[in-house]
């Protein structure tokens, strides 16, 4: 995932300044240590195999239009399920999720 929005999401003549993004996927991952990185504005939750691994669902924790980033390390092997929930309250919005092998 790698998105950035200004002024919300436009649908015809309607602009949605506040919205929720939900994304999920399954992937077969080679055995190894990985870094999961997420950047967001205004709130985010990340699940791996239905386990909450990043919980930043408190928009008041950050300043307006701040885009925090959090990284965690995961040992992965085989089939995994990923889910991201994102909340946007207005202004600038971003959601970026990356999974990279740790060497």
């Amino acid at each position: 995932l790698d998105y950035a929005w200004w002024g919300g999401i436009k649908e015809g003549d309607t602009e949605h300044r506040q919205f929720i993004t939900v994304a999920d996927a399954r992937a077969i991952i080679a055995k190894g240590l990985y870094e999961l990185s997420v950047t967001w504005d205004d709130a985010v939750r990340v699940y791996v195999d239905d386990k909450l691994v990043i919980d930043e669902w408190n928009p008041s924790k950050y300043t307006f239009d701040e885009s925090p980033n959090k990284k965690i390390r995961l040992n992965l092997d085989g089939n995994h399920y990923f889910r991201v929930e994102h909340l946007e309250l207005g202004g600038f919005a971003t959601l970026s999720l990356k999974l990279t092998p740790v060497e």
Side-chain angles (χ1 to χ4, degrees):
L1 294 171
D2 195 13
Y3 294 98
W5 301 270
W6 280 102
I9 294 176
K10 295 182 178 141
E11 177 186 28
D13 293 335
T14 304
E15 186 176 279
H16 302 280
R17 299 181 60 77
Q18 297 179 338
F19 57 91
I20 293 174
T21 309
V22 177
D24 60 354
R26 290 196 179 278
I28 297 173
I29 308 291
K31 183 178 182 176
L33 180 63
Y34 291 84
E35 181 177 83
L36 180 74
S37 171
V38 64
T39 302
W40 71 93
D41 179 70
D42 290 300
V44 72
R45 289 184 187 127
V46 180
Y47 299 83
V48 177
D49 300 326
D50 294 321
K51 179 183 174 193
L52 183 61
V53 296
I54 296 176
D55 186 5
E56 293 290 340
W57 204 258
N58 184 356
S60 65
K61 196 170 166 182
Y62 301 98
T63 60
F64 184 73
D65 282 348
E66 180 179 0
S67 298
N69 175 273
K70 188 163 191 176
K71 297 176 183 178
I72 63 169
R73 291 193 171 193
L74 299 168
N75 284 302
L76 300 174
D77 182 17
N79 191 12
H80 294 279
Y81 172 69
F82 299 87
R83 180 178 177 89
V84 179
E85 299 170 348
H86 164 254
L87 172 68
E88 174 53 36
L89 297 174
F92 176 70
T94 188
L95 176 59
S96 177
L97 182 77
K98 296 181 174 141
L99 183 68
T100 54
V102 175
E103 298 179 321

